[in-house]
Amino acid sequence: MQHLTIVTTGGTIDKIYFDDKSDYKIGAPQIGEILGQLGVAFQFDVIPILRKDSLHVTDEDRALVRSTIEAQPHRHVLVTHGTDTMVETAKVLATIPGKVIVLTGALNPARFQGSDAVFNIGCAVAAVQTLPDGVYIAMNGRVWDPAKVRKNRAENRFEEVRG
């Protein structure tokens, strides 16, 4: 993989804390800074299209994510996305041909000590360059088929859908 296209939609990975309000807001995408600090050996571009909590991502937003990815010339695409509706967005992207698309996010903001963001991004980068064409989710140290995974909100992790 020589080039990675990154599409950002917001989510916890990009949340920042406003102390005066004791509130979180979606900030600028963090992934470009993270990859730059790590000195990755490939070129990448970051296309920020949304800054939303995934609970507020609409069907129209998912169509925008899809059309943005379809318009990209590169085969390898990583999408940062909020974890609550990541699976739903992945299913909308499933029929895009000729691309490897991996969605990832974080259960804690990237700017927080102990966040899973860097780990998840690393897993997603490894997945996007080694898997065949298709759509995948990289979370909790695993690569998931979107048709066979769900977020367990009570346990705050992804798990296989059984049955």
Side-chain angles (χ1 to χ4, degrees), residues 101-122:
I101 303 164
V102 179
L103 289 83
T104 195
L107 300 171
N108 298 296
R111 292 186 179 196
F112 281 27
Q113 181 71 24
S115 172
D116 56 334
V118 173
F119 180 73
N120 290 338
I121 289 168

mmCIF file of all heavy atoms in Angstrom, residues 101-122:
data_model
loop_
_atom_site.group_PDB
_atom_site.id
_atom_site.type_symbol
_atom_site.label_atom_id
_atom_site.label_comp_id
_atom_site.label_asym_id
_atom_site.label_seq_id
_atom_site.Cartn_x
_atom_site.Cartn_y
_atom_site.Cartn_z
ATOM 1 N N ILE A 101 -12.113 -1.319 2.591
ATOM 2 C CA ILE A 101 -12.595 -0.247 3.463
ATOM 3 C C ILE A 101 -12.629 -0.784 4.888
ATOM 4 O O ILE A 101 -13.261 -1.804 5.160
ATOM 5 C CB ILE A 101 -14.005 0.213 3.032
ATOM 6 C CG1 ILE A 101 -14.000 0.669 1.573
ATOM 7 C CG2 ILE A 101 -14.520 1.308 3.960
ATOM 8 C CD1 ILE A 101 -15.385 0.783 0.951
ATOM 9 N N VAL A 102 -11.939 -0.091 5.776
ATOM 10 C CA VAL A 102 -11.930 -0.492 7.187
ATOM 11 C C VAL A 102 -12.408 0.676 8.030
ATOM 12 O O VAL A 102 -11.869 1.780 7.931
ATOM 13 C CB VAL A 102 -10.526 -0.944 7.644
ATOM 14 C CG1 VAL A 102 -10.539 -1.322 9.120
ATOM 15 C CG2 VAL A 102 -10.033 -2.116 6.800
ATOM 16 N N LEU A 103 -13.429 0.432 8.827
ATOM 17 C CA LEU A 103 -13.931 1.432 9.760
ATOM 18 C C LEU A 103 -13.331 1.177 11.133
ATOM 19 O O LEU A 103 -13.209 0.016 11.556
ATOM 20 C CB LEU A 103 -15.450 1.376 9.865
ATOM 21 C CG LEU A 103 -16.243 1.857 8.654
ATOM 22 C CD1 LEU A 103 -16.366 0.763 7.602
ATOM 23 C CD2 LEU A 103 -17.620 2.336 9.067
ATOM 24 N N THR A 104 -12.957 2.248 11.803
ATOM 25 C CA THR A 104 -12.473 2.134 13.172
ATOM 26 C C THR A 104 -12.874 3.384 13.941
ATOM 27 O O THR A 104 -13.338 4.364 13.361
ATOM 28 C CB THR A 104 -10.946 1.900 13.233
ATOM 29 O OG1 THR A 104 -10.611 1.442 14.552
ATOM 30 C CG2 THR A 104 -10.149 3.158 12.905
ATOM 31 N N GLY A 105 -12.696 3.335 15.227
ATOM 32 C CA GLY A 105 -13.026 4.461 16.095
ATOM 33 C C GLY A 105 -12.377 4.230 17.439
ATOM 34 O O GLY A 105 -11.374 3.521 17.542
ATOM 35 N N ALA A 106 -12.960 4.799 18.454
ATOM 36 C CA ALA A 106 -12.405 4.647 19.797
ATOM 37 C C ALA A 106 -13.524 4.714 20.822
ATOM 38 O O ALA A 106 -14.533 5.391 20.613
ATOM 39 C CB ALA A 106 -11.377 5.743 20.070
ATOM 40 N N LEU A 107 -13.308 4.017 21.908
ATOM 41 C CA LEU A 107 -14.255 4.048 23.020
ATOM 42 C C LEU A 107 -13.939 5.186 23.980
ATOM 43 O O LEU A 107 -14.763 5.545 24.813
ATOM 44 C CB LEU A 107 -14.263 2.699 23.733
ATOM 45 C CG LEU A 107 -14.665 1.526 22.823
ATOM 46 C CD1 LEU A 107 -14.430 0.199 23.523
ATOM 47 C CD2 LEU A 107 -16.109 1.656 22.376
ATOM 48 N N ASN A 108 -12.726 5.761 23.824
ATOM 49 C CA ASN A 108 -12.294 6.927 24.600
ATOM 50 C C ASN A 108 -11.618 7.906 23.648
ATOM 51 O O ASN A 108 -10.944 7.483 22.709
ATOM 52 C CB ASN A 108 -11.292 6.512 25.689
ATOM 53 C CG ASN A 108 -11.900 5.550 26.675
ATOM 54 O OD1 ASN A 108 -12.829 5.885 27.382
ATOM 55 N ND2 ASN A 108 -11.381 4.335 26.713
ATOM 56 N N PRO A 109 -11.772 9.209 23.868
ATOM 57 C CA PRO A 109 -11.181 10.194 22.953
ATOM 58 C C PRO A 109 -9.675 9.993 22.759
ATOM 59 O O PRO A 109 -8.951 9.643 23.705
ATOM 60 C CB PRO A 109 -11.471 11.526 23.641
ATOM 61 C CG PRO A 109 -12.706 11.275 24.449
ATOM 62 C CD PRO A 109 -12.548 9.856 24.938
ATOM 63 N N ALA A 110 -9.208 10.216 21.526
ATOM 64 C CA ALA A 110 -7.793 10.026 21.188
ATOM 65 C C ALA A 110 -6.873 10.876 22.061
ATOM 66 O O ALA A 110 -5.744 10.487 22.342
ATOM 67 C CB ALA A 110 -7.558 10.344 19.711
ATOM 68 N N ARG A 111 -7.337 12.033 22.484
ATOM 69 C CA ARG A 111 -6.501 12.927 23.292
ATOM 70 C C ARG A 111 -6.357 12.474 24.738
ATOM 71 O O ARG A 111 -5.575 13.042 25.487
ATOM 72 C CB ARG A 111 -7.078 14.344 23.270
ATOM 73 C CG ARG A 111 -6.978 14.988 21.907
ATOM 74 C CD ARG A 111 -7.417 16.421 21.963
ATOM 75 N NE ARG A 111 -7.307 17.042 20.658
ATOM 76 C CZ ARG A 111 -7.333 18.333 20.451
ATOM 77 N NH1 ARG A 111 -7.476 19.159 21.470
ATOM 78 N NH2 ARG A 111 -7.239 18.809 19.237
ATOM 79 N N PHE A 112 -7.102 11.458 25.142
ATOM 80 C CA PHE A 112 -7.066 10.999 26.534
ATOM 81 C C PHE A 112 -5.989 9.943 26.742
ATOM 82 O O PHE A 112 -5.810 9.053 25.906
ATOM 83 C CB PHE A 112 -8.419 10.402 26.935
ATOM 84 C CG PHE A 112 -9.472 11.411 27.266
ATOM 85 C CD1 PHE A 112 -9.473 12.692 26.725
ATOM 86 C CD2 PHE A 112 -10.512 11.071 28.108
ATOM 87 C CE1 PHE A 112 -10.453 13.609 27.026
ATOM 88 C CE2 PHE A 112 -11.506 11.989 28.425
ATOM 89 C CZ PHE A 112 -11.471 13.260 27.881
ATOM 90 N N GLN A 113 -5.298 10.035 27.862
ATOM 91 C CA GLN A 113 -4.323 9.015 28.250
ATOM 92 C C GLN A 113 -5.041 7.674 28.355
ATOM 93 O O GLN A 113 -6.125 7.585 28.920
ATOM 94 C CB GLN A 113 -3.703 9.389 29.601
ATOM 95 C CG GLN A 113 -2.655 8.428 30.092
ATOM 96 C CD GLN A 113 -1.376 8.487 29.288
ATOM 97 O OE1 GLN A 113 -1.079 9.498 28.661
ATOM 98 N NE2 GLN A 113 -0.639 7.409 29.277
ATOM 99 N N GLY A 114 -4.448 6.649 27.788
ATOM 100 C CA GLY A 114 -5.058 5.321 27.863
ATOM 101 C C GLY A 114 -6.139 5.073 26.837
ATOM 102 O O GLY A 114 -6.804 4.036 26.885
ATOM 103 N N SER A 115 -6.339 5.980 25.896
ATOM 104 C CA SER A 115 -7.345 5.779 24.855
ATOM 105 C C SER A 115 -6.968 4.587 23.984
ATOM 106 O O SER A 115 -5.784 4.313 23.750
ATOM 107 C CB SER A 115 -7.454 7.033 23.980
ATOM 108 O OG SER A 115 -8.298 6.779 22.861
ATOM 109 N N ASP A 116 -7.971 3.924 23.478
ATOM 110 C CA ASP A 116 -7.749 2.822 22.543
ATOM 111 C C ASP A 116 -7.575 3.311 21.108
ATOM 112 O O ASP A 116 -7.396 2.511 20.197
ATOM 113 C CB ASP A 116 -8.915 1.837 22.628
ATOM 114 C CG ASP A 116 -10.277 2.479 22.372
ATOM 115 O OD1 ASP A 116 -10.438 3.696 22.611
ATOM 116 O OD2 ASP A 116 -11.204 1.760 21.953
ATOM 117 N N ALA A 117 -7.587 4.612 20.887
ATOM 118 C CA ALA A 117 -7.564 5.177 19.528
ATOM 119 C C ALA A 117 -6.342 4.751 18.727
ATOM 120 O O ALA A 117 -6.476 4.270 17.594
ATOM 121 C CB ALA A 117 -7.655 6.703 19.587
ATOM 122 N N VAL A 118 -5.145 4.927 19.278
ATOM 123 C CA VAL A 118 -3.929 4.607 18.521
ATOM 124 C C VAL A 118 -3.881 3.112 18.208
ATOM 125 O O VAL A 118 -3.532 2.707 17.097
ATOM 126 C CB VAL A 118 -2.668 5.073 19.271
ATOM 127 C CG1 VAL A 118 -1.405 4.588 18.576
ATOM 128 C CG2 VAL A 118 -2.652 6.594 19.384
ATOM 129 N N PHE A 119 -4.227 2.283 19.164
ATOM 130 C CA PHE A 119 -4.251 0.832 18.957
ATOM 131 C C PHE A 119 -5.226 0.461 17.842
ATOM 132 O O PHE A 119 -4.898 -0.308 16.933
ATOM 133 C CB PHE A 119 -4.626 0.136 20.261
ATOM 134 C CG PHE A 119 -4.689 -1.360 20.155
ATOM 135 C CD1 PHE A 119 -3.529 -2.116 20.055
ATOM 136 C CD2 PHE A 119 -5.902 -2.012 20.151
ATOM 137 C CE1 PHE A 119 -3.582 -3.499 19.948
ATOM 138 C CE2 PHE A 119 -5.972 -3.392 20.049
ATOM 139 C CZ PHE A 119 -4.814 -4.146 19.950
ATOM 140 N N ASN A 120 -6.436 1.032 17.885
ATOM 141 C CA ASN A 120 -7.444 0.723 16.872
ATOM 142 C C ASN A 120 -7.012 1.206 15.491
ATOM 143 O O ASN A 120 -7.227 0.519 14.491
ATOM 144 C CB ASN A 120 -8.795 1.309 17.261
ATOM 145 C CG ASN A 120 -9.405 0.595 18.451
ATOM 146 O OD1 ASN A 120 -9.068 -0.539 18.756
ATOM 147 N ND2 ASN A 120 -10.289 1.279 19.143
ATOM 148 N N ILE A 121 -6.413 2.389 15.434
ATOM 149 C CA ILE A 121 -5.922 2.902 14.155
ATOM 150 C C ILE A 121 -4.836 1.972 13.610
ATOM 151 O O ILE A 121 -4.826 1.642 12.417
ATOM 152 C CB ILE A 121 -5.409 4.356 14.303
ATOM 153 C CG1 ILE A 121 -6.597 5.296 14.530
ATOM 154 C CG2 ILE A 121 -4.596 4.776 13.075
ATOM 155 C CD1 ILE A 121 -6.194 6.697 14.979
ATOM 156 N N GLY A 122 -3.924 1.528 14.467
ATOM 157 C CA GLY A 122 -2.884 0.600 14.030
ATOM 158 C C GLY A 122 -3.462 -0.697 13.490
ATOM 159 O O GLY A 122 -3.023 -1.203 12.447
#
